Amino acid sequence: MRSTPKTARTPRPDSPWAPLAARLFRALWIAQLVSNVGGWMQTVGAQWLLVGENAALVTLVQTASSLPVVLLALPSGVVADRFDRRWVLLTAQFAMVAVSGVLTALAFADALGPASLLSLTFLLGCGTALMGPAWQAVQPELVERERLGQAAALGAVNMNLARAVGPALGGAVVAAAGAGWVFAFNAVSYLGTAAVLLLWHRPATPARPGGRERLLPALYAGRRYVWNAPGVRRVLLRTLLFVPGGAALWSLLPVTADRTLGLGSGGYGLLLGAVGVGAVAGAFVLPLIRRTLGASGTLAAGTVVFAGVLAVLAATRSPWLVAAALLPAGLAWIGVLSTLNAAVQTRLPGWVRARGLAVYLLVFQGGQACAAPLWGVLADRLGLTTAYVISAALMVLGAGTVRLWPLRDTQGIDPSPSSHWPVPPLVFEPGPADGPVLVSVAYRVPPGNRAEFTARMAHVARSRRRTGALAWGLYQDGNDPERFLEHYLLGSWSEHLAQHGDRLTVTDRRHEQRARALLVPGSAPEVTHAFDATAGPLITAPDGSTPSAPTDMSVSSSKRKM
């Protein structure tokens, strides 16, 4: 099975179903739907086994599912960026089959207590944590970049369609045959995704300049990239302002179904199914909503709608009114999350995509994992009504911040790799671990352009730091005011080779071009690569001589025009 997203019959580009024209995306989407149905059946079975306990214990099911993402998202992102993502996904699938098998066996043996149930749920969450960054990172390999928004929405439709079917089916199976059978179905449901992945002939990933990143430096590189990407940071902020309040619905709904509405496991499944139906219906109107309101408007509207649903849950005891209110909750949830997911996907380059998405998943799942037990404690101490009112108020406050912190525009952002730097012509061959490396770039800027040049170089500074620079500075020569010096420090030669390779993007190149358009006409930047002369033997030139270090720094250097 090939990963090409193009087919002979292509639907309208703005169709919400356009990504399903890609054969591999469609096959994985269907397989994942079956797996998600099994996951929701598993969740209902686990929550209903604990529903006779206190509310805080029930909410720990969500915490046990989400906490592994908090602990493992970043290492999983590194794994997905360092190794073949297809094999990472396969490993996660088979690991979850094994854990689900143990859970099933214990359930049928009537040996599944709260501690073992939560522990095995936590292990299943570890499989999800390993899978998440790799799954998100392969999406641009399955569909065109301009369809990532629809692909993200379809991913949310998948989850919510499973929510429409899985909980109701799981509740019925639990009531008729016991929780063991829903755990068994969940174990089998992972095999479909594994089969599609085994048939996928994913092109081999080319070797990266400088070799494969080591674990700890790769973790640091992912953190450094996100910190120096304002657009990604804004997505994370918007996620953090939405998820904790929204977590109240998922963590408290089983308690509401049991204590307030007097429903059994089947009734609880139908309530979750109402959310799923609303989300699936929302997929049809989301493109129109986004065109009308824009990304930030969609966030604000979705958050306000979700707050209204929480208020209804606080005020009514009618199962029919609750079910009706949960329909727009599904629309709001899919609208907000697909918007956030698409916003982060379109900003991340391939070399760090899984790590950047891991940070997004960390914020998303971490917000749920931390908030869920708090809502349970509030419900036990202050009552369900008060807990829902507080969560609705938090959501309204979050919606009010959209005007202050909107999503940044993605127009003009192109994360495609751009290997536009020439190979450095050094007089020796550094080893990948040699370093630190000081890169200096000299520019000649006419007097009338200096202020604007300095402003444009701020974008270049973020580019350098995103792609490996540990420190950066821009200086003006005191003896020659026309001469500006850019310095940035990298930890090793392999880090700099990675900049020459796949780390720089088309957007980075455009920032460089905008700054260099202000230079003295006919002048070219002069680049120097310098190595620490105190870390080992000095560099020897081809004629056997040793280049002398400049008097103002203990480095040996190589110089070229750029």
Side-chain angles (χ1 to χ4, degrees):
M1 185 176 292
R2 299 190 180 278
S3 58
T4 174
K6 296 183 179 179
T7 60
R9 186 177 300 171
T10 304
R12 292 193 335 268
D14 60 345
S15 167
W17 313 107
L20 291 175
R23 183 183 173 208
L24 178 57
F25 180 89
R26 183 172 64 250
L28 283 172
W29 192 90
I30 294 171
Q32 193 62 14
L33 175 62
V34 176
S35 182
N36 285 335
V37 168
W40 277 108
M41 293 175 67
Q42 139 86 27
T43 298
V44 169
Q47 288 180 323
W48 212 253
L49 285 177
L50 299 175
V51 79
E53 309 290 338
N54 58 60
L57 189 59
V58 176
T59 61
L60 284 179
V61 174
Q62 184 176 357
T63 301
S65 300
S66 303
L67 187 59
V69 178
V70 178
L71 301 176
L72 301 176
L74 289 178
S76 297
V78 172
V79 169
D81 277 334
R82 293 180 78 237
F83 300 100
D84 188 301
R85 290 166 183 163
R86 171 174 167 269
W87 284 106
V88 173
L89 291 170
L90 281 168
T91 300
Q93 296 300 310
F94 288 121
M96 289 188 287
V97 168
V99 174
S100 296
V102 174
L103 187 61
T104 302
L106 290 176
F108 281 128
D110 200 23
L112 192 61
S116 55
L117 173 61
L118 292 173
S119 297
L120 290 168
T121 301
F122 179 85
L123 290 178
L124 281 175
C126 291
T128 302
L130 177 62
M131 176 182 174
W135 182 267
Q136 295 286 346
V138 300
Q139 299 306 303
E141 300 179 39
L142 309 180
V143 298
E144 294 90 344
R145 181 173 181 268
E146 59 270 18
R147 291 184 177 176
L148 282 175
Q150 292 111 305
L154 283 173
V157 166
N158 191 305
M159 176 61 73
N160 285 282
L161 186 59
R163 183 183 281 125
V165 177
L169 183 59
V173 172
V174 169
W181 287 103
V182 299
F183 298 150
F185 181 86
N186 187 44
V188 174
S189 71
Y190 294 115
L191 298 177
T193 303
V196 177
L197 291 169
L198 285 170
L199 293 173
W200 178 19
H201 300 292
R202 183 174 185 257
T205 304
R208 290 180 173 175
R212 181 178 288 170
E213 294 176 273
R214 291 173 295 167
L215 177 61
L216 291 180
L219 277 171
Y220 182 72
R223 186 203 67 81
R224 182 181 59 229
Y225 185 93
V226 170
W227 182 255
N228 290 287
V232 176
R233 292 206 316 271
R234 181 60 55 83
V235 174
L236 299 179
L237 175 62
R238 297 293 351 149
T239 304
L240 192 59
L241 290 171
F242 176 78
V243 167
L249 176 66
W250 312 118
S251 57
L252 296 179
L253 191 59
V255 183
T256 301
D258 179 57
R259 299 182 185 177
T260 303
L261 305 179
L263 301 176
S265 60
Y268 169 55
L270 290 174
L271 292 181
L272 285 177
V275 182
V277 170
V280 174
F284 290 93
V285 299
L286 267 179
L288 175 61
I289 293 174
R290 286 204 187 99
R291 285 196 301 270
T292 304
L293 302 179
S296 295
T298 302
L299 287 182
T303 305
V304 169
V305 169
F306 209 87
V309 172
L310 293 170
V312 171
L313 291 176
T316 184
R317 293 178 177 271
S318 167
W320 294 107
L321 285 177
V322 170
L326 291 174
L327 291 170
L331 169 60
W333 187 261
I334 189 179
V336 171
L337 293 193
S338 64
T339 299
L340 293 171
N341 189 283
V344 74
Q345 284 269 15
T346 53
R347 285 173 164 84
L348 292 170
W351 71 273
V352 75
R353 183 180 296 125
R355 279 165 282 182
L357 288 164
V359 176
Y360 167 71
L361 292 173
L362 172 63
V363 173
F364 176 75
Q365 297 285 5
Q368 293 194 90
C370 294
L374 294 179
W375 294 125
V377 171
L378 280 176
D380 278 336
R381 295 189 177 182
L382 304 178
L384 278 169
T385 298
T386 303
Y388 278 128
V389 169
I390 293 173
S391 64
L394 285 177
M395 299 290 277
V396 171
L397 289 175
T401 65
V402 170
R403 183 180 294 274
L404 180 62
W405 299 310
L407 286 179
R408 295 178 183 268
D409 191 6
T410 58
Q411 293 296 323
I413 294 178
D414 188 347
S416 305
S418 175
S419 302
H420 57 279
W421 286 2
V423 177
L426 304 184
V427 298
F428 81 116
E429 185 66 31
D434 286 352
V437 180
L438 180 68
V439 181
S440 302
V441 188
Y443 306 94
R444 304 204 71 84
V445 185
N449 292 348
R450 290 171 190 170
E452 188 175 357
F453 174 78
T454 303
R456 292 186 183 182
M457 286 297 290
H459 296 284
V460 175
R462 282 195 288 267
S463 168
R464 306 290 197 235
R465 292 190 175 106
R466 281 195 299 267
T467 56
L470 304 175
W472 182 91
L474 182 66
Y475 306 88
Q476 188 174 13
D477 193 328
N479 292 323
D480 184 359
E482 191 177 77
R483 187 169 181 261
F484 281 73
L485 294 172
E486 177 195 8
H487 297 296
Y488 58 97
L489 185 71
L490 300 111
S492 66
W493 183 242
S494 64
E495 286 284 294
H496 188 52
L497 285 181
Q499 288 183 317
H500 280 266
D502 64 347
R503 287 192 180 180
L504 291 175
T505 66
V506 173
T507 301
D508 296 323
R509 184 183 68 205
R510 290 170 181 166
H511 288 314
E512 291 181 12
Q513 290 171 340
R514 288 167 187 155
R516 294 179 183 187
L518 301 173
L519 301 184
V520 171
S523 68
E526 188 177 88
V527 183
T528 299
H529 298 82
F531 297 80
D532 186 359
T534 65
L538 293 177
I539 299 168
T540 301
D543 60 2
S545 63
T546 299
S548 59
T551 58
D552 58 345
M553 61 180 73
S554 56
V555 296
S556 299
S557 64
S558 163
K559 187 179 294 185
R560 67 181 171 89
K561 294 286 186 180
M562 187 174 186

